[in-house]
Amino acid sequence: ATLVCGSAQYVGSAVLAVSAALKSGCGYVKAVCADEVKAAIAPNFPQTVFSVQPDLSSRAIAIGMGCGASQALHDTIDYLLKEYTGTLIVDADGLNSLAMYGTDILKDKKCNVILTPHIKEFSRISGKTAGEVLAAPVACAQQLAREYAATIVLKSAGTVITDGENTVINTRGCSALAKAGSGDMLAGFMCGSVARGLSPIEGAACAAYVLGAASELAAGECSEYCVTAAEVLAKISAAVKNIIVQG
């Protein structure tokens, strides 16, 4: 799994994304990031491999977590869409860059694509109002999935995951996830899940379910009000173990 993540302003986004990817079960996690981000990751997660550019041999690449929206990020997404043949997960500022500089690049691609918007991000890339999306989230997500031949992960109280034909709705989780950092962890775990062999829709569903279960465990100890992203992260292993034991 390769993660293109972080910036001077959002170092923590990269740390959370990488740490979640490392818990996903994939063999290697590579990070493409600035030196100040590398300095935060390396001491805590020495197993991370650092690279100056995305590794096109990776099964999955996630891009956008804490990067800051920019033309340069949009250009990198465009390059990956045209040259990469694995699964590309576009998250956070990757989505914002698409909204700012154009979504048409999504129609010319070699790779599988997963887009992971929350309601406002979905509104920006689809042109629909937030009210329209909230009124019909499943239909809106399915429409966008078909338009771009992509898997859509529409994040809200219930997460809609669809490739336009198959649709999964995840109801695991609680308001503990409605906080900064949750999306970074989701994208990282999703990237790792696809990298270890799951299909885009399976990897997205797996990540949403596991993070939801982890948030419930964390809230059980700390309350939904006080849970931080770091505490959800710490419960991922227990959530996975519970799921395996329960079959």
Side-chain angles (χ1 to χ4, degrees):
T2 292
L3 284 74
V4 183
C5 54
S7 62
Q9 186 176 4
Y10 299 111
V11 174
S13 295
V15 173
L16 290 168
V18 167
S19 57
L22 288 166
K23 290 178 177 290
S24 68
C26 69
Y28 288 93
V29 174
K30 297 184 177 183
V32 179
C33 55
D35 286 343
E36 58 265 48
V37 179
K38 184 190 298 184
I41 295 173
N44 298 301
F45 305 102
Q47 63 271 58
T48 306
V49 180
F50 295 98
S51 178
V52 296
Q53 59 187 9
D55 181 359
L56 299 186
S57 70
S58 297
R59 280 186 174 178
I61 297 175
I63 186 169
M65 302 78 71
C67 291
S70 68
Q71 181 67 63
L73 184 60
H74 188 268
D75 291 344
T76 301
I77 294 169
D78 189 26
Y79 166 77
L80 291 171
L81 289 168
K82 290 181 171 63
E83 302 297 330
Y84 179 52
T85 57
T87 295
L88 179 65
I89 299 164
V90 184
D91 184 58
D93 285 321
L95 296 167
N96 292 330
S97 296
L98 288 174
M100 293 171 66
Y101 300 104
T103 57
D104 284 346
I105 60 172
L106 292 170
K107 297 179 180 179
D108 180 17
K109 57 184 178 293
K110 293 182 179 179
C111 55
N112 298 316
V113 171
I114 303 175
L115 305 178
T116 61
H118 55 56
I119 296 295
K120 287 186 178 180
E121 289 167 340
F122 189 98
S123 176
R124 294 178 194 132
I125 62 175
S126 68
K128 296 182 181 297
T129 67
E132 289 173 326
V133 180
L134 285 168
V138 174
C140 288
Q142 290 172 334
Q143 180 182 356
L144 195 68
R146 288 190 289 266
E147 180 178 354
Y148 292 123
T151 297
I152 304 297
V153 182
L154 177 55
K155 300 178 291 193
S156 189
T159 299
V160 179
I161 303 158
T162 182
D163 58 10
E165 295 182 6
N166 305 294
T167 300
V168 177
I169 299 176
N170 176 63
T171 58
R172 292 299 299 265
C174 60
S175 62
L177 290 176
K179 297 178 181 178
S182 297
D184 304 311
M185 291 187 293
L186 180 67
F189 197 91
M190 190 183 304
C191 188
S193 297
V194 175
R196 67 178 174 85
L198 297 184
S199 70
I201 194 167
E202 289 170 341
C206 173
Y209 190 88
V210 169
L211 264 292
S215 74
E216 292 169 1
L217 290 174
E221 292 186 3
C222 306
S223 84
E224 294 183 23
Y225 301 100
C226 301
V227 171
T228 65
E231 286 157 340
V232 174
L233 180 69
K235 292 298 183 183
I236 288 177
S237 298
V240 171
K241 184 176 180 179
N242 288 346
I243 293 166
I244 291 171
V245 170
Q246 292 167 6

